[in-house]
Each structure stands twice: as structure tokens, then as C-alpha cells.
Amino acid sequence: LSMGATLVREMAGARPDGRTWRGSIGTVVLAIPEHGIGAVRVAGPFGVTVLPARGIHHEGLAWGARVLIVDLEGRVAEVCSYPEGE
């Protein structure tokens, strides 16, 4: 929990634009609990970034899962699972 709080604190200054991240494929680096927030790592125009994230349908996602960023709500990426092998 403290690692998650630290990540959220460090990312609070970041202001990603939804248009920049929408459609990007990322990897869960802090498990996303059901109805909660975790974190995803995603490559973007300015290098690799870690963003706070939640499941778009409030589903949980395990560490290491590949995800698609569907939208940004505030500073939190809304993600869904991305099929392996795609």
C-alpha cells in the first residue's frame, strides 16, 4: 500500500493528456484491485511513463498484465485487458 501511495504522490505532478495516451498498450506494474487504483507503465512520446490506472469496468488486473488505455479520467488512466499475442 505504501508503494502505491508513493507512486501516486510522485505522479501527482504529471499532467498527461488523454489524447497522448488513448490507444496505447501498457503493462500493469502495480496490481489494480477491483474498484481500486494501481499503476501501468506505458511508452509515450516523451519516453516511458508510469500512470495511475483503474479497470474501465472496475475489474482487477494482475501485475504484468498487458492493458489498453481507453481513456484518461482526471489523471488516472482507464484501462482494459489487452489480449496476449496481439
Side-chain angles (χ1 to χ4, degrees):
L1 185 63
S2 70
M3 183 176 141
T6 301
L7 277 172
V8 170
R9 251 186 272 122
E10 287 179 8
M11 294 180 286
R15 293 179 178 246
D17 180 344
R19 291 168 295 181
T20 303
W21 305 112
R22 193 176 295 126
S24 297
I25 307 302
T27 302
V28 176
V29 294
L30 180 62
I32 301 171
E34 216 174 299
H35 298 281
I37 295 177
V40 296
R41 181 182 65 223
V42 62
F46 305 108
V48 176
T49 302
V50 176
L51 299 171
R54 70 174 147 249
I56 191 150
H57 300 293
H58 307 287
E59 70 274 25
L61 295 157
W63 177 89
R66 289 182 58 191
V67 293
L68 173 69
I69 297 179
V70 178
D71 205 356
L72 232 63
E73 189 67 36
R75 295 182 184 172
V76 179
E78 293 188 334
V79 301
C80 65
S81 62
Y82 189 78
E84 294 299 321
E86 291 290 319

